[in-house]
């Protein structure tokens, strides 16, 4: 089976700093893959290259068998790549409902432009309510998004990503600010998401990583240090030296 996402020689430099260094990476459809590593390892820069937020200095990105290296972020969203940011990017002055409605509207318009049926206000409302229900924010739909607790803002971002019905959902530090009970609910949510989408997860919470990921990619100094199952990564001496037990991710 061909991978859903492939990078070849992917690199990005900022001045003299090689933030991502010649990364070859592949992700199968239906996977839950975690990317871990110490601070400054290049994780967020790597996924920013994948989703088109920044352009590579060298290398390529292919999605579903097509080269998307030159496509801007909004065109990659149309192809099925959704990304939630490490720092929340909600519209603070809009309600929770309206934040998600922007994503639902984009998906419905894209569908109509590809020859699908025109959508109604009921279609829009159904899409929003479904996304909010999945992340447990349906009772907060009328609240201003900026008034939510930080952890709930992160969940709102996940709802905005889900509302796009992506084939690949990239989650950058999604459990930051969540309580233990909310983290347990989040783990169940990601497992449910993975039934219909591929998940690429940057996460500092190692119990979450070990509970969710089928495979783990470890980055260090902009390059891939190791890849494997949770058990393989847990017992990898190079990973232990560079990260596990000696450093905290961020």
């Amino acid at each position: 089976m061909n991978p859903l996402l492939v990078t070849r020689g992917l690199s990005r430099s900022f001045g003299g700093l090689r933030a991502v260094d010649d990364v070859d990476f592949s992700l199968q459809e239906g996977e839950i893959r975690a990317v871990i590593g110490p601070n400054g390892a290049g994780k967020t820069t790597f996924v920013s290259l994948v989703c088109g937020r920044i352009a590579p200095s060298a290398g390529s990105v292919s999605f579903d068998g097509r080269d998307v290296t030159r496509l801007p972020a909004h065109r990659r969203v149309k192809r099925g790549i959704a990304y939630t940011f490490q720092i929340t990017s909600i519209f603070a002055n809009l309600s929770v409902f309206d934040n998600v409605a922007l994503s639902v509207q984009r998906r419905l318009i894209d569908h109509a432009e590809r020859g699908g049926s025109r959508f109604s206000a009921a279609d829009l409302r159904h899409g929003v309510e479904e996304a909010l229900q999945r992340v447990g924010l349906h009772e907060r739909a009328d609240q201003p998004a900026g008034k939510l607790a930080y952890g709930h803002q992160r969940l709102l971002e996940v709802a905005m990503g889900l509302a796009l019905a992506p084939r690949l959902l990239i989650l950058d530090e999604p459990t930051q600010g969540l309580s233990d009970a909310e983290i347990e609910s989040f783990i169940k949510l990601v497992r449910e998401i993975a039934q219909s989408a591929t998940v690429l997860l940057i996460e500092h919470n190692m119990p979450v990583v070990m509970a969710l990921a089928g495979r783990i990619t470890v980055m260090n100094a902009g390059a891939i240090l190791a890849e494997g199952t949770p058990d393989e990564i847990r017992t990898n001496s190079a990973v232990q030296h560079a990260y596990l037990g000696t450093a905290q991710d961020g």
Side-chain angles (χ1 to χ4, degrees):
M1 184 172 64
N2 292 327
L4 178 65
L5 174 71
V6 177
T7 74
R8 290 286 178 260
L10 196 62
S11 302
R12 173 69 194 207
S13 297
F14 297 98
L17 172 66
R18 191 89 156 175
V20 172
D21 189 7
D22 197 28
V23 169
D24 291 342
F25 176 88
S26 65
L27 181 67
Q28 293 292 335
E29 191 153 18
E31 267 196 82
I32 301 175
R33 176 76 66 89
V35 179
I36 67 171
N39 284 334
K43 307 179 298 296
T44 293
T45 303
F46 171 68
V47 295
S48 294
L49 292 167
V50 168
C51 73
R53 290 186 65 224
I54 59 176
S57 304
S60 64
V61 179
S62 296
F63 183 72
D64 196 22
R66 296 183 179 183
D67 191 319
V68 298
T69 311
R70 304 297 173 203
L71 289 185
H74 72 275
R75 294 278 301 279
R76 297 191 203 192
V77 169
K78 287 189 174 186
R79 295 285 178 91
I81 300 175
Y83 175 40
T84 70
F85 299 90
Q86 185 175 18
I87 301 170
T88 55
S89 59
I90 60 172
F91 297 95
N93 293 328
L94 295 181
S95 70
V96 168
F97 184 97
D98 287 344
N99 268 267
V100 179
L102 293 171
S103 294
V104 176
Q105 185 177 49
R106 170 185 275 185
R107 171 172 57 83
L108 294 174
I109 289 172
D110 287 347
H111 178 68
E113 288 177 347
R114 291 194 299 267
S117 59
R118 296 181 64 181
F119 65 92
S120 66
D123 294 327
L124 181 64
R125 175 168 290 277
H126 175 75
V128 174
E129 290 175 347
E130 181 180 43
L132 290 177
Q133 187 81 34
R134 290 175 78 180
V135 303
L137 291 179
H138 51 288
E139 294 182 353
R140 302 176 187 270
D142 295 330
Q143 291 185 19
K147 299 294 186 182
L148 293 177
Y150 181 75
H152 289 153
Q153 291 183 14
R154 303 313 311 273
L155 291 175
L156 175 57
E157 266 212 323
V158 174
M160 293 165 70
L162 287 175
L164 293 167
R167 294 186 64 190
L168 171 62
L169 180 61
I170 302 173
L171 302 171
D172 195 347
E173 302 283 11
T175 67
Q176 188 175 339
L178 299 186
S179 68
D180 289 345
E182 288 168 338
I183 287 173
E184 286 299 315
S185 296
F186 175 80
I187 289 172
K188 294 176 183 177
L189 172 64
V190 172
R191 288 175 176 154
E192 185 252 316
I193 292 169
Q195 296 176 22
S196 59
T198 303
V199 178
L200 182 59
L201 175 74
I202 296 178
E203 181 54 66
H204 72 284
N205 186 319
M206 292 310 300
V208 171
V209 169
M210 295 299 177
L212 282 174
R215 289 180 64 79
I216 299 170
T217 298
V218 186
M219 293 189 69
N220 192 39
I224 291 179
L225 175 67
E227 285 188 321
T229 65
D231 284 343
E232 290 168 342
I233 295 302
R234 191 182 284 113
T235 58
N236 185 303
S237 59
V239 174
Q240 290 175 349
H241 178 74
Y243 178 47
L244 294 177
T246 61
Q248 287 295 315
D249 195 10

